[in-house]
Structures are given as structure tokens and as C-alpha cells.
Amino acid sequence: MGAPFTIVLYAADSSTAASVSEDCFHLVDSLVLIFSDYIDSSELNRLCAAAGKNNPPFPVSPALFDILKISARAYNLSNGSFDITLGPLSRLWRRARKENSWPPADTVKATLALTGFHKVQLDTVTRMVILTQPGMQLDLGGIAQGYIAQKVTERIRLYGIGNALVNVSGDIVTIGAPPGKEGWTVAINAPRSEEEFLPQNLLITNKAVTTSGDIYQYILHNGKKYSHVINPKTGYGITSQRNVTVIANDGTTADWLTKAISLMPLRQARRLAKQLNAEFLIAEMKRGELVYHSSESFNNFWKSIAQ
């Protein structure tokens, strides 16, 4: 899905480590062929090509139906802040970033009209999906990497391996800790910087952690920076210069929740994180200064100086 994928694991011998890793990367490849919107023949793109009320319901694989169900729940829990139906807008802004061209307002408005989760119908009995409007395009980029990282971690556990880390371009899921350590050390990028990190690191074990921001994917227009995280209400990327880090019990939740919290009011974000047993940190630039907001127990994950 256009992102680096790393597996770190500790096994009894090198042959075991190699065979487990190989099996896990085969799993990754199979899921990418289902979820990617970069691959024309992916199952996701074939589903989207069948969008429209006049087309018959589309039968999907268990993996695709599973992530669509999770996405529907995420949409409802976040009051629409996380929405996988933004695919047409994702493609519009992806092209705009590549060509460094700002799309006309009427184009954004027309593209926004193709979105809306109420146009996705899931039949849990037959595992059929209907996208009711022609031109719809689902974008799993805000959830699939965390989902895949979680599935790979579950596969590693089946081999009896108790210490591992899976990293999909910053979507991290951990098992145990490196030998002799209390946990995995994870750094967080500072807002607006590719190389600068926050002063403290996290110490993570048997948790997932993800950070979302505008460091790598954004477009500048009239002196303003628009993130790749799109506001479902406006069709434009958000302009708040903030990084959102989420620590959750699984990679899927950590992934989508970072995008949702990027758009949500702080009080609503606190309520949702508590409901999901997750913690978050928002680091944002305000008038040239770094300001932090966090959930109640996020500070418990900071690595102490002594460590």
C-alpha cells in the first residue's frame, strides 16, 4: 500500500525467524491485494467498480467484509469523523499534491457529493455489499495498515513467539518486549518536522501505537498547509498543525482513531478514547509554540529518564 513494512521478532533460531517472517509477508501480500486502492485489480477496486443501485450486490471476502464492518462502527462512534467513503476526495487531493495544483471549488463540491457512509449497505448474512451511488470509491488508507499490522501480530503469536514488533509506516503493534527490556521504545515526531522528535519516548508492550499528522503528505495553498487527512464535512484537508498519537489495544483501533481525533473537539475525543480503552496525545503548534493535550492516562506510557 505504498508504505514500508517492518517485522522485528525474537525466535529460538534464525531458520524459525525466517520462516515465520516469510509466512507473515505472504499474509501481508494477500491482504494488500484485497485492500489497496493503488492496484486496479484489488478486491476493493472491483467492489467500487460495481457501485450503483442498478448493479447486483457484490460478494466480498471475509477480510474485506470484516474491515468494512469495523469501518462502519468507527464511522458511527466518531460521528462521521472517520469515513472510508472519502475515496473520490482522496484521489482528487492525491493528484493535486502530485501535480501541485489546487482544484477548483466546484470540483471539490462535486467530488464531496460522491461520499457518505449511508450509501454503503452491508448484509451480514450473505456477506454482500452494495455501494448505492455510481462513482463511489472507498479508501481504506486510514485503517488498513493498522488492520494488517494487527493480523500479522496475531499470526506471529500463533507460532508461540512472545516478543515482536510490526511497523507499517508508523502503525506499530507490539508483543512483549526486546529481551532484557521492559518494553519497546517508540519515538514521536514533532509537528512540522521529519527529523525532530518529542523530548520523551514511549515505552510500549502488548499495545498498538500510531501517530498521524501532516509531516509527509500535505499541499500548500495561499500560505496555508492542508493535511492529507480530509474533513468529511468540507472536502478539504485539515489545516490544524497537529500530530495525534493514539495508544490502543489493537492496531486497527489505533490507526483509525488517530484520524478521527484529528478532526474531533477535545472533549469528544476524550470521551471516545475512554470508550475504546485508548489513550491519546495531541501535539500542535499554536502561535509558534508547541502545545499538548492528552487523555488522562497517556503519561503512564512515557519512558522514564532512568531507562
Side-chain angles (χ1 to χ4, degrees), residues 65-85:
F65 198 82
D66 186 39
I67 203 169
L68 292 179
K69 284 197 304 180
I70 296 171
S71 297
R73 180 172 181 265
Y75 175 84
N76 291 326
L77 287 173
S78 68
N79 292 322
S81 293
F82 179 80
D83 188 351
I84 63 170
T85 70

Side-chain angles (χ1 to χ4, degrees), residues 236-294:
Y236 291 87
I238 60 176
T239 57
S240 56
Q241 297 171 358
R242 58 164 55 175
N243 281 3
V244 177
T245 299
V246 167
I247 300 172
N249 292 326
D250 66 276
T252 314
T253 300
D255 196 3
W256 73 256
L257 191 54
T258 58
K259 284 69 175 183
I261 290 178
S262 295
L263 290 155
M264 298 169 71
L266 186 57
R267 182 178 296 180
Q268 187 179 347
R270 293 187 192 280
R271 187 165 57 246
L272 179 56
K274 185 175 182 179
Q275 182 178 354
L276 295 170
N277 296 314
E279 305 294 337
F280 70 86
L281 173 73
I282 299 172
E284 61 181 330
M285 298 298 298
K286 284 194 171 181
R287 294 179 290 277
E289 293 186 3
L290 193 56
V291 178
Y292 297 98
H293 308 281
S294 66

